[in-house]
Short mmCIF file of all heavy atoms in Angstrom, two decimals:
data_model
loop_
_atom_site.label_atom_id
_atom_site.label_comp_id
_atom_site.label_asym_id
_atom_site.label_seq_id
_atom_site.Cartn_x
_atom_site.Cartn_y
_atom_site.Cartn_z
N MET A 1 93.41 133.46 107.42
CA MET A 1 94.23 132.64 108.26
C MET A 1 95.59 132.48 107.61
O MET A 1 95.72 132.41 106.38
CB MET A 1 93.57 131.27 108.41
CG MET A 1 94.45 130.25 109.05
SD MET A 1 93.84 128.57 109.13
CE MET A 1 92.11 128.67 109.04
N ARG A 2 96.60 132.46 108.42
CA ARG A 2 97.97 132.26 107.93
C ARG A 2 98.46 130.91 108.48
O ARG A 2 98.30 130.63 109.67
CB ARG A 2 98.88 133.38 108.38
CG ARG A 2 100.28 133.16 107.90
CD ARG A 2 101.16 134.26 108.25
NE ARG A 2 102.46 133.83 107.79
CZ ARG A 2 103.54 134.55 107.85
NH1 ARG A 2 103.49 135.72 108.34
NH2 ARG A 2 104.68 134.06 107.44
N ILE A 3 99.08 130.09 107.64
CA ILE A 3 99.60 128.80 108.03
C ILE A 3 101.13 128.87 107.96
O ILE A 3 101.68 129.30 106.96
CB ILE A 3 99.12 127.70 107.06
CG1 ILE A 3 97.60 127.69 107.03
CG2 ILE A 3 99.68 126.35 107.49
CD1 ILE A 3 97.05 126.86 105.88
N THR A 4 101.77 128.41 109.03
CA THR A 4 103.24 128.38 109.08
C THR A 4 103.68 126.97 109.41
O THR A 4 103.13 126.34 110.33
CB THR A 4 103.74 129.36 110.17
OG1 THR A 4 103.22 130.65 109.92
CG2 THR A 4 105.27 129.42 110.14
N ILE A 5 104.67 126.48 108.66
CA ILE A 5 105.24 125.17 108.90
C ILE A 5 106.69 125.38 109.32
O ILE A 5 107.46 125.95 108.59
CB ILE A 5 105.17 124.29 107.66
CG1 ILE A 5 103.74 124.12 107.19
CG2 ILE A 5 105.82 122.93 107.96
CD1 ILE A 5 103.63 123.49 105.82
N ASP A 6 107.03 124.93 110.51
CA ASP A 6 108.42 125.00 110.99
C ASP A 6 109.21 123.82 110.44
O ASP A 6 109.08 122.71 110.93
CB ASP A 6 108.45 125.05 112.52
CG ASP A 6 109.84 125.33 113.05
OD1 ASP A 6 110.85 125.04 112.35
OD2 ASP A 6 109.92 125.80 114.20
N LYS A 7 109.94 124.06 109.38
CA LYS A 7 110.69 122.98 108.72
C LYS A 7 111.76 122.38 109.61
O LYS A 7 112.20 121.26 109.39
CB LYS A 7 111.34 123.51 107.44
CG LYS A 7 110.34 124.03 106.42
CD LYS A 7 109.63 122.92 105.75
CE LYS A 7 108.76 123.47 104.63
NZ LYS A 7 108.13 122.45 103.84
N ASP A 8 112.23 123.13 110.62
CA ASP A 8 113.24 122.59 111.55
C ASP A 8 112.63 121.58 112.54
O ASP A 8 113.35 120.83 113.13
CB ASP A 8 113.91 123.72 112.31
CG ASP A 8 114.75 124.60 111.40
OD1 ASP A 8 115.30 124.10 110.39
OD2 ASP A 8 114.85 125.82 111.68
N VAL A 9 111.32 121.67 112.70
CA VAL A 9 110.65 120.79 113.66
C VAL A 9 109.97 119.62 112.97
O VAL A 9 109.89 118.52 113.53
CB VAL A 9 109.59 121.61 114.47
CG1 VAL A 9 108.79 120.71 115.38
CG2 VAL A 9 110.30 122.70 115.26
N CYS A 10 109.49 119.82 111.74
CA CYS A 10 108.76 118.81 111.00
C CYS A 10 109.57 117.51 110.88
O CYS A 10 110.74 117.53 110.59
CB CYS A 10 108.41 119.32 109.60
SG CYS A 10 107.50 118.15 108.57
N ILE A 11 108.89 116.37 111.12
CA ILE A 11 109.56 115.06 111.04
C ILE A 11 109.00 114.25 109.84
O ILE A 11 109.40 113.13 109.62
CB ILE A 11 109.39 114.23 112.32
CG1 ILE A 11 107.92 113.99 112.65
CG2 ILE A 11 110.13 114.93 113.47
CD1 ILE A 11 107.67 113.03 113.80
N GLY A 12 108.08 114.84 109.11
CA GLY A 12 107.55 114.20 107.91
C GLY A 12 106.58 113.07 108.17
O GLY A 12 106.52 112.12 107.39
N SER A 13 105.81 113.17 109.24
CA SER A 13 104.85 112.08 109.55
C SER A 13 103.73 112.02 108.56
O SER A 13 103.10 110.97 108.37
CB SER A 13 104.30 112.26 110.96
OG SER A 13 103.38 113.33 111.00
N GLY A 14 103.40 113.12 107.90
CA GLY A 14 102.38 113.16 106.86
C GLY A 14 100.95 113.31 107.38
O GLY A 14 99.99 113.24 106.60
N GLN A 15 100.79 113.51 108.67
CA GLN A 15 99.44 113.63 109.23
C GLN A 15 98.69 114.85 108.65
O GLN A 15 97.50 114.78 108.46
CB GLN A 15 99.51 113.72 110.77
CG GLN A 15 99.96 112.44 111.43
CD GLN A 15 99.05 111.27 111.08
OE1 GLN A 15 97.86 111.32 111.22
NE2 GLN A 15 99.68 110.24 110.54
N CYS A 16 99.43 115.91 108.38
CA CYS A 16 98.75 117.09 107.82
C CYS A 16 98.21 116.80 106.44
O CYS A 16 97.07 117.16 106.12
CB CYS A 16 99.73 118.26 107.76
SG CYS A 16 101.24 117.92 106.85
N ALA A 17 99.00 116.13 105.60
CA ALA A 17 98.55 115.80 104.24
C ALA A 17 97.40 114.81 104.25
O ALA A 17 96.52 114.85 103.40
CB ALA A 17 99.72 115.25 103.41
N LEU A 18 97.37 113.91 105.22
CA LEU A 18 96.29 112.97 105.34
C LEU A 18 95.01 113.65 105.85
O LEU A 18 93.91 113.31 105.40
CB LEU A 18 96.64 111.83 106.33
CG LEU A 18 97.67 110.86 105.81
CD1 LEU A 18 98.10 109.90 106.95
CD2 LEU A 18 97.15 110.07 104.64
N THR A 19 95.15 114.63 106.73
CA THR A 19 94.00 115.32 107.32
C THR A 19 93.41 116.37 106.40
O THR A 19 92.20 116.46 106.27
CB THR A 19 94.40 115.93 108.69
OG1 THR A 19 94.94 114.93 109.51
CG2 THR A 19 93.21 116.55 109.34
N ALA A 20 94.24 117.15 105.75
CA ALA A 20 93.78 118.24 104.88
C ALA A 20 94.56 118.18 103.54
O ALA A 20 95.38 119.06 103.26
CB ALA A 20 93.97 119.59 105.57
N PRO A 21 94.27 117.17 102.71
CA PRO A 21 95.02 117.02 101.48
C PRO A 21 94.81 118.11 100.45
O PRO A 21 95.58 118.23 99.49
CB PRO A 21 94.50 115.66 100.94
CG PRO A 21 93.17 115.48 101.56
CD PRO A 21 93.23 116.17 102.91
N SER A 22 93.79 118.96 100.63
CA SER A 22 93.59 120.06 99.69
C SER A 22 94.49 121.26 100.02
O SER A 22 94.56 122.22 99.24
CB SER A 22 92.13 120.49 99.67
OG SER A 22 91.79 121.13 100.90
N VAL A 23 95.19 121.18 101.16
CA VAL A 23 96.05 122.30 101.59
C VAL A 23 97.50 121.87 101.74
O VAL A 23 98.41 122.57 101.32
CB VAL A 23 95.56 122.90 102.92
CG1 VAL A 23 96.50 124.00 103.43
CG2 VAL A 23 94.15 123.42 102.79
N PHE A 24 97.72 120.66 102.28
CA PHE A 24 99.08 120.17 102.60
C PHE A 24 99.51 119.05 101.67
O PHE A 24 98.69 118.26 101.19
CB PHE A 24 99.16 119.66 104.03
CG PHE A 24 98.91 120.70 105.06
CD1 PHE A 24 97.64 120.86 105.62
CD2 PHE A 24 99.93 121.55 105.50
CE1 PHE A 24 97.39 121.83 106.59
CE2 PHE A 24 99.69 122.52 106.49
CZ PHE A 24 98.41 122.65 107.02
N THR A 25 100.80 119.00 101.45
CA THR A 25 101.42 117.90 100.71
C THR A 25 102.76 117.64 101.39
O THR A 25 103.09 118.21 102.41
CB THR A 25 101.61 118.24 99.22
OG1 THR A 25 102.03 117.08 98.52
CG2 THR A 25 102.59 119.39 99.02
N GLN A 26 103.53 116.74 100.82
CA GLN A 26 104.88 116.51 101.30
C GLN A 26 105.86 116.82 100.19
O GLN A 26 105.62 116.48 99.03
CB GLN A 26 105.05 115.08 101.79
CG GLN A 26 104.28 114.86 103.10
CD GLN A 26 104.44 113.45 103.63
OE1 GLN A 26 103.87 112.55 103.08
NE2 GLN A 26 105.19 113.31 104.68
N ASP A 27 106.94 117.48 100.55
CA ASP A 27 107.93 117.86 99.52
C ASP A 27 108.79 116.66 99.10
O ASP A 27 108.55 115.55 99.58
CB ASP A 27 108.81 119.04 99.99
CG ASP A 27 109.65 118.75 101.19
OD1 ASP A 27 109.90 117.55 101.52
OD2 ASP A 27 110.17 119.70 101.82
N ASP A 28 109.77 116.86 98.27
CA ASP A 28 110.59 115.78 97.77
C ASP A 28 111.39 115.07 98.86
O ASP A 28 111.77 113.89 98.67
CB ASP A 28 111.59 116.28 96.70
CG ASP A 28 110.86 116.74 95.42
OD1 ASP A 28 109.72 116.26 95.20
OD2 ASP A 28 111.44 117.54 94.68
N ASP A 29 111.58 115.73 99.97
CA ASP A 29 112.28 115.14 101.10
C ASP A 29 111.34 114.48 102.10
O ASP A 29 111.79 113.97 103.12
CB ASP A 29 113.17 116.18 101.80
CG ASP A 29 114.29 116.71 100.90
OD1 ASP A 29 114.87 115.86 100.17
OD2 ASP A 29 114.54 117.90 100.93
N GLY A 30 110.05 114.59 101.84
CA GLY A 30 109.07 113.95 102.72
C GLY A 30 108.54 114.85 103.82
O GLY A 30 107.81 114.37 104.68
N PHE A 31 108.90 116.08 103.80
CA PHE A 31 108.47 117.03 104.86
C PHE A 31 107.23 117.81 104.39
O PHE A 31 106.94 117.93 103.22
CB PHE A 31 109.59 117.97 105.24
CG PHE A 31 110.75 117.28 105.85
CD1 PHE A 31 111.92 117.11 105.12
CD2 PHE A 31 110.65 116.72 107.11
CE1 PHE A 31 113.01 116.45 105.68
CE2 PHE A 31 111.72 116.03 107.65
CZ PHE A 31 112.89 115.89 106.94
N SER A 32 106.51 118.31 105.35
CA SER A 32 105.26 119.05 105.10
C SER A 32 105.51 120.29 104.23
O SER A 32 106.52 120.98 104.41
CB SER A 32 104.65 119.47 106.43
OG SER A 32 103.44 120.16 106.22
N ALA A 33 104.55 120.51 103.32
CA ALA A 33 104.58 121.71 102.48
C ALA A 33 103.13 122.11 102.18
O ALA A 33 102.24 121.28 102.21
CB ALA A 33 105.37 121.42 101.20
N LEU A 34 102.97 123.35 101.87
CA LEU A 34 101.67 123.84 101.44
C LEU A 34 101.54 123.73 99.93
O LEU A 34 102.51 123.96 99.21
CB LEU A 34 101.49 125.31 101.85
CG LEU A 34 101.40 125.56 103.33
CD1 LEU A 34 101.50 127.06 103.62
CD2 LEU A 34 100.13 124.98 103.90
N LEU A 35 100.39 123.36 99.47
CA LEU A 35 100.15 123.34 98.02
C LEU A 35 100.18 124.76 97.51
O LEU A 35 99.79 125.68 98.23
CB LEU A 35 98.80 122.68 97.72
CG LEU A 35 98.75 121.17 97.98
CD1 LEU A 35 97.31 120.67 97.90
CD2 LEU A 35 99.61 120.43 96.95
N PRO A 36 100.63 124.97 96.28
CA PRO A 36 100.67 126.35 95.72
C PRO A 36 99.31 127.01 95.80
O PRO A 36 98.28 126.39 95.50
CB PRO A 36 101.07 126.08 94.25
CG PRO A 36 101.79 124.78 94.27
CD PRO A 36 101.12 123.95 95.34
N GLY A 37 99.33 128.23 96.26
CA GLY A 37 98.10 129.03 96.36
C GLY A 37 97.25 128.71 97.57
O GLY A 37 96.16 129.28 97.73
N ARG A 38 97.71 127.88 98.47
CA ARG A 38 96.93 127.51 99.65
C ARG A 38 97.54 128.07 100.94
O ARG A 38 97.25 127.61 102.03
CB ARG A 38 96.86 125.97 99.75
CG ARG A 38 96.25 125.32 98.54
CD ARG A 38 94.88 125.86 98.27
NE ARG A 38 93.96 125.23 99.18
CZ ARG A 38 92.65 125.15 99.01
NH1 ARG A 38 92.11 125.68 97.96
NH2 ARG A 38 91.89 124.56 99.87
N GLU A 39 98.37 129.08 100.83
CA GLU A 39 99.04 129.66 101.97
C GLU A 39 98.07 130.19 103.02
O GLU A 39 98.43 130.29 104.22
CB GLU A 39 99.98 130.78 101.55
CG GLU A 39 101.17 130.31 100.73
CD GLU A 39 100.82 130.09 99.25
OE1 GLU A 39 99.73 130.47 98.78
OE2 GLU A 39 101.69 129.51 98.55
N ASP A 40 96.85 130.47 102.62
CA ASP A 40 95.83 130.99 103.59
C ASP A 40 94.84 129.91 104.00
O ASP A 40 93.89 130.19 104.69
CB ASP A 40 95.09 132.18 102.98
CG ASP A 40 94.29 131.81 101.77
OD1 ASP A 40 94.33 130.65 101.30
OD2 ASP A 40 93.55 132.69 101.26
N GLY A 41 95.08 128.68 103.56
CA GLY A 41 94.22 127.56 103.93
C GLY A 41 93.01 127.41 103.02
O GLY A 41 92.33 126.41 103.04
N GLY A 42 92.73 128.42 102.20
CA GLY A 42 91.64 128.34 101.27
C GLY A 42 90.28 128.08 101.91
O GLY A 42 89.37 127.58 101.26
N GLY A 43 90.14 128.43 103.16
CA GLY A 43 88.87 128.22 103.84
C GLY A 43 88.60 126.77 104.22
O GLY A 43 87.49 126.45 104.65
N ASP A 44 89.58 125.88 104.09
CA ASP A 44 89.40 124.51 104.41
C ASP A 44 89.24 124.33 105.92
O ASP A 44 90.14 124.70 106.69
CB ASP A 44 90.58 123.66 103.92
CG ASP A 44 90.37 122.16 104.02
OD1 ASP A 44 89.73 121.72 105.00
OD2 ASP A 44 90.83 121.45 103.14
N PRO A 45 88.11 123.79 106.39
CA PRO A 45 87.89 123.64 107.82
C PRO A 45 88.83 122.63 108.48
O PRO A 45 88.91 122.59 109.71
CB PRO A 45 86.45 123.22 107.91
CG PRO A 45 86.15 122.56 106.60
CD PRO A 45 86.99 123.30 105.59
N LEU A 46 89.51 121.84 107.70
CA LEU A 46 90.36 120.81 108.29
C LEU A 46 91.79 121.28 108.57
O LEU A 46 92.59 120.53 109.12
CB LEU A 46 90.42 119.58 107.33
CG LEU A 46 89.11 118.84 107.18
CD1 LEU A 46 89.25 117.75 106.15
CD2 LEU A 46 88.64 118.28 108.51
N VAL A 47 92.11 122.53 108.22
CA VAL A 47 93.47 123.04 108.45
C VAL A 47 93.80 123.03 109.95
O VAL A 47 94.88 122.60 110.32
CB VAL A 47 93.61 124.47 107.86
CG1 VAL A 47 94.92 125.09 108.31
CG2 VAL A 47 93.55 124.42 106.35
N ARG A 48 92.92 123.52 110.77
CA ARG A 48 93.21 123.54 112.21
C ARG A 48 93.34 122.11 112.76
O ARG A 48 94.15 121.85 113.63
CB ARG A 48 92.11 124.29 112.97
CG ARG A 48 92.25 125.79 112.77
CD ARG A 48 91.26 126.53 113.67
NE ARG A 48 91.35 127.96 113.42
CZ ARG A 48 90.70 128.60 112.42
NH1 ARG A 48 89.93 127.93 111.60
NH2 ARG A 48 90.82 129.89 112.25
N GLU A 49 92.52 121.21 112.25
CA GLU A 49 92.65 119.80 112.67
C GLU A 49 93.98 119.22 112.25
O GLU A 49 94.58 118.44 112.96
CB GLU A 49 91.47 118.96 112.11
CG GLU A 49 91.48 117.54 112.56
CD GLU A 49 91.38 117.37 114.05
OE1 GLU A 49 90.70 118.17 114.74
OE2 GLU A 49 91.96 116.39 114.57
N ALA A 50 94.43 119.58 111.05
CA ALA A 50 95.73 119.11 110.60
C ALA A 50 96.84 119.63 111.48
O ALA A 50 97.79 118.89 111.80
CB ALA A 50 95.98 119.56 109.14
N ALA A 51 96.73 120.87 111.91
CA ALA A 51 97.73 121.44 112.84
C ALA A 51 97.73 120.68 114.16
O ALA A 51 98.77 120.38 114.71
CB ALA A 51 97.49 122.92 113.05
N ARG A 52 96.52 120.35 114.64
CA ARG A 52 96.45 119.61 115.89
C ARG A 52 96.94 118.17 115.75
O ARG A 52 97.48 117.60 116.68
CB ARG A 52 94.99 119.56 116.40
CG ARG A 52 94.55 120.83 117.02
CD ARG A 52 93.20 120.68 117.73
NE ARG A 52 92.10 120.52 116.77
CZ ARG A 52 91.42 121.49 116.24
NH1 ARG A 52 91.68 122.75 116.59
NH2 ARG A 52 90.43 121.26 115.42
N ALA A 53 96.82 117.62 114.55
CA ALA A 53 97.23 116.22 114.29
C ALA A 53 98.74 116.07 114.20
O ALA A 53 99.27 114.97 114.31
CB ALA A 53 96.58 115.70 113.03
N CYS A 54 99.46 117.18 113.98
CA CYS A 54 100.89 117.11 113.84
C CYS A 54 101.53 116.64 115.17
O CYS A 54 101.34 117.27 116.19
CB CYS A 54 101.47 118.47 113.46
SG CYS A 54 103.26 118.47 113.30
N PRO A 55 102.28 115.51 115.13
CA PRO A 55 102.80 114.97 116.39
C PRO A 55 103.88 115.85 117.04
O PRO A 55 104.17 115.66 118.23
CB PRO A 55 103.36 113.61 115.96
CG PRO A 55 103.63 113.72 114.52
CD PRO A 55 102.59 114.68 113.98
N VAL A 56 104.47 116.76 116.29
CA VAL A 56 105.52 117.61 116.88
C VAL A 56 105.14 119.09 116.82
O VAL A 56 105.97 119.96 117.08
CB VAL A 56 106.88 117.40 116.14
CG1 VAL A 56 107.41 116.00 116.41
CG2 VAL A 56 106.76 117.67 114.66
N GLN A 57 103.86 119.39 116.54
CA GLN A 57 103.34 120.75 116.52
C GLN A 57 104.17 121.66 115.63
O GLN A 57 104.49 122.79 116.00
CB GLN A 57 103.22 121.35 117.91
CG GLN A 57 102.02 120.82 118.68
CD GLN A 57 102.19 119.42 119.17
OE1 GLN A 57 103.17 119.12 119.82
NE2 GLN A 57 101.25 118.54 118.88
N ALA A 58 104.52 121.18 114.42
CA ALA A 58 105.33 121.98 113.50
C ALA A 58 104.45 122.98 112.73
O ALA A 58 104.99 123.86 112.05
CB ALA A 58 106.03 121.07 112.51
N ILE A 59 103.12 122.84 112.81
CA ILE A 59 102.20 123.70 112.06
C ILE A 59 101.50 124.64 112.99
O ILE A 59 100.92 124.20 114.00
CB ILE A 59 101.16 122.85 111.29
CG1 ILE A 59 101.87 121.89 110.33
CG2 ILE A 59 100.18 123.75 110.54
CD1 ILE A 59 100.97 120.86 109.77
N THR A 60 101.48 125.93 112.65
CA THR A 60 100.71 126.89 113.42
C THR A 60 99.80 127.63 112.50
O THR A 60 100.13 127.86 111.31
CB THR A 60 101.63 127.91 114.16
OG1 THR A 60 102.49 128.55 113.20
CG2 THR A 60 102.46 127.22 115.25
N THR A 61 98.65 128.00 113.02
CA THR A 61 97.69 128.81 112.28
C THR A 61 97.40 130.06 113.06
O THR A 61 97.31 130.02 114.27
CB THR A 61 96.37 128.05 112.01
OG1 THR A 61 95.78 127.69 113.26
CG2 THR A 61 96.62 126.81 111.19
N THR A 62 97.36 131.17 112.38
CA THR A 62 97.02 132.46 113.03
C THR A 62 96.00 133.20 112.15
O THR A 62 96.02 133.10 110.93
CB THR A 62 98.28 133.34 113.18
OG1 THR A 62 98.92 133.48 111.92
CG2 THR A 62 99.25 132.76 114.20
N GLU A 63 95.11 133.87 112.82
CA GLU A 63 94.12 134.68 112.12
C GLU A 63 94.76 136.01 111.77
O GLU A 63 95.50 136.58 112.53
CB GLU A 63 92.88 134.89 113.02
CG GLU A 63 92.11 133.66 113.32
CD GLU A 63 91.54 132.97 112.08
OE1 GLU A 63 91.15 133.70 111.13
OE2 GLU A 63 91.51 131.75 112.06
N GLU A 64 94.47 136.48 110.58
CA GLU A 64 95.01 137.78 110.17
C GLU A 64 94.00 138.86 110.29
O GLU A 64 92.84 138.68 110.22
CB GLU A 64 95.51 137.67 108.71
CG GLU A 64 96.71 136.78 108.62
CD GLU A 64 97.33 136.80 107.22
OE1 GLU A 64 96.63 137.05 106.24
OE2 GLU A 64 98.54 136.61 107.17
#
């Protein structure tokens, strides 16, 4: 799976980090970021839920 975060759309609500904290974090500016080495989601089943929880749909997941 590939995870993409649209930094131009992200508002920093933090829902992704709350939903899937093993994959998402917030950067120094408060916007969504992937934890190092988690670009593929690491098999975390909550990644898709985190994408759905984003209030502005800044996160997309695609199967590779």
Side-chain angles (χ1 to χ4, degrees):
M1 170 186 335
R2 180 177 175 177
I3 303 167
T4 306
I5 303 169
D6 187 335
K7 300 285 187 174
D8 294 328
V9 175
C10 180
I11 60 172
S13 73
Q15 292 302 307
C16 56
L18 289 172
T19 304
S22 68
V23 177
F24 296 96
T25 188
Q26 289 181 286
D27 65 17
D28 292 339
D29 296 321
F31 297 106
S32 180
L34 293 169
L35 289 169
R38 303 302 282 201
E39 293 81 11
D40 64 355
D44 190 322
L46 295 174
V47 170
R48 285 186 183 85
E49 183 59 34
R52 283 190 290 270
C54 179
V56 293
Q57 283 74 53
I59 302 168
T60 56
T61 60
T62 53
E63 294 298 326
E64 292 188 331

